[in-house]
Amino acid sequence: MFFYRKPKPWQGREADVTPRALYINRRQIMAAGGAVAVTGLVGCGGSETEASTSAESTASSTAAARQPAPPSGGLQYAGTGYSVPDPLTPIDAVTGYNNFYEFGVDKSDPARHAHEMSVDPWSIEVDGHAGRTGRFALEDVVDFSALEERIYRLRCVEAWSMVIPWIGVPLAGVLQQFEPTADARYVAFETYLDRREMRGTRFPVLDWPYVEGLRMDEAMNELAFLAVGLYGDVLPNQNGAPVRLVVPWKYGYKSIKSITRISFVSQQPETAWNKAAPNEYGFYSNVNPNRAHPRWSQQTERVIGGNLFNRRETEMFNGYSEQVAHLYAGMDLIENH
Ligand SMILES: Nc1nc2c(c(=O)[nH]1)N[C@H]1C(S)=C(S)[C@@H](COP(=O)(O)O)O[C@H]1N2
Ligand SMILES: [Mo]
């Protein structure tokens, strides 16, 4: 049955071409101008400016890229050095093939139902071991004038992967502004919960609200990121609007969506999937091809956006060993999965 399914548009090989071209252009712009503001890339096609960039016209498009963002709803952001050689996952797949169980367990449910969630205005409750606690508007948590892009690999524990151009800010700076104390050894996150707006939460699939956590040194690592956008525009609700975590060296479920609470705690916090199946999902959840899930291998992954048989080898820490391996020196990563 699986093989007779009509392929989704993004499952065709040619679907890779446009995002790949944009990705190369982005790098050329950055190489030419350093960390210039690359503005106004909206949706999959990109802005006229950027989509028409070619190797021969790099100089002129660098100038164009310095223009302020057009009044398109797109975000203004700077490029950074965080990228990967793999092609970007087409935006239709990034926004149409999702895990956001609050809206249903099928991959197409979040795109169909997440619009029912109200995300504006948005506030985040900050509590626990920190100098500044209380309820903060999203704009006071995330500095929207300091957004940057990060192209990260996302590896779901279900053995599929994507490459996504996120827009956001490093998590470390966000956490530091709350002045965590020495007792803050972990940071815990909680997802918004409204049973009327999130139809999936009317069923006891997980113990709602969805919760996640990191050890403080993991949270302070340069790779840990708070995203408010992707593909140059604000986050679609199904991807965790208006603000979600992105922890690229860990399985996707650590990257908690639609965050409404940040807690600085002294004990390792509970996490949604660990509570549901502790044998299958640990607290650390670092991508590790050597630790099989009890029900399937983690050695390879299906590359979403390629054809159905497009697989790649899964890398330790999802390919981010250089940045994060030191966090786990001396730890048994099979036991501490
Ligand atoms: N609140 C919440 N956050 C969540 C999930 C979820 O079900 N609820 N799913 C996780 C899983 S399993 C993955 S793989 C990623 C998927 O992110 P994406 O849909 O933006 O690709 O979100 C993670 N964050
Ligand atoms: Mo996942």
Side-chain angles (χ1 to χ4, degrees):
M1 193 173 73
F2 177 71
F3 297 102
Y4 294 102
R5 255 194 181 164
K6 186 168 176 286
K8 295 278 197 301
W10 42 262
Q11 285 170 333
R13 274 182 176 283
E14 63 285 359
D16 283 346
V17 172
T18 302
R20 174 72 182 164
L22 285 175
Y23 159 68
I24 291 167
N25 290 339
R26 178 93 34 79
R27 290 223 304 196
Q28 287 164 346
I29 290 166
M30 286 165 57
V36 298
V38 179
T39 60
L41 174 62
V42 179
C44 180
S47 66
E48 289 291 314
T49 305
E50 189 154 354
S52 62
T53 303
S54 68
E56 306 86 71
S57 64
T58 300
S60 62
S61 47
T62 300
R66 291 180 194 278
Q67 300 297 313
S72 60
L75 293 169
Q76 188 165 346
Y77 58 93
T80 67
Y82 293 88
S83 192
V84 290
D86 319 61
L88 293 187
T89 304
I91 191 169
D92 290 355
V94 173
T95 62
Y97 185 91
N98 302 100
N99 278 332
F100 200 165
Y101 275 22
E102 285 87 335
F103 297 101
V105 298
D106 195 88
K107 294 287 185 286
S108 62
D109 283 336
R112 279 191 288 151
H113 303 306
H115 67 91
E116 292 168 3
M117 171 174 62
S118 47
V119 298
D120 186 23
W122 191 268
S123 63
I124 298 178
E125 183 81 26
V126 177
D127 58 27
H129 301 293
R132 291 178 65 221
T133 55
R135 183 167 287 281
F136 298 86
L138 173 62
E139 296 70 27
D140 296 327
V141 174
V142 172
D143 181 355
F144 279 77
S145 71
L147 301 179
E148 58 181 276
E149 182 183 63
R150 297 214 176 169
I151 298 170
Y152 278 162
R153 295 169 29 70
L154 173 88
R155 171 58 157 81
C156 178
V157 75
E158 298 163 341
W160 52 261
S161 66
M162 297 193 186
V163 177
I164 302 177
W166 302 106
I167 313 290
V169 293
L171 178 64
V174 170
L175 297 184
Q176 268 151 2
Q177 70 185 336
F178 298 115
E179 299 159 18
T181 69
D183 290 331
R185 295 183 55 236
Y186 296 85
V187 57
F189 302 90
E190 195 174 296
T191 295
Y192 179 65
L193 175 59
D194 183 310
R195 289 194 168 74
R196 289 160 304 159
E197 297 183 2
M198 305 164 104
R199 58 180 68 208
T201 63
R202 298 169 204 162
F203 308 94
V205 180
L206 288 169
D207 182 12
W208 316 112
Y210 195 102
V211 289
E212 258 304 336
L214 296 170
R215 217 171 55 193
M216 192 56 79
D217 60 340
E218 298 180 307
M220 292 296 177
N221 185 270
E222 60 178 308
L223 292 180
F225 199 60
L226 270 187
V228 296
L230 59 79
Y231 266 107
D233 214 336
V234 295
L235 274 184
N237 281 8
Q238 60 266 36
N239 294 96
V243 60
R244 61 90 57 83
L245 190 63
V246 184
V247 196
W249 72 95
K250 294 177 179 283
Y251 290 119
Y253 59 84
K254 297 294 287 184
S255 294
I256 181 173
K257 296 177 169 179
S258 305
I259 295 168
T260 56
R261 181 186 296 274
I262 299 177
S263 305
F264 295 97
V265 297
S266 57
Q267 304 289 319
Q268 182 176 299
E270 290 194 314
T271 60
W273 278 104
N274 180 253
K275 278 195 281 181
N279 174 45
E280 302 191 3
Y281 311 104
F283 173 78
Y284 283 96
S285 307
N286 293 310
V287 174
N288 185 349
N290 304 317
R291 196 259 174 190
H293 185 280
R295 292 182 279 128
W296 59 84
S297 162
Q298 293 290 26
Q299 284 184 350
T300 65
E301 62 205 45
R302 183 163 68 91
V303 178
I304 302 291
N307 67 48
L308 281 173
F309 309 100
N310 192 1
R311 298 191 78 84
R312 82 192 296 284
E313 305 263 311
T314 292
E315 294 177 57
M316 189 66 204
F317 299 119
N318 206 20
Y320 296 102
S321 292
E322 199 182 306
Q323 290 89 349
V324 303
H326 68 274
L327 296 171
Y328 312 102
M331 271 176 65
D332 179 339
L333 293 178
I334 303 294
E335 196 172 316
N336 298 291
H337 64 85

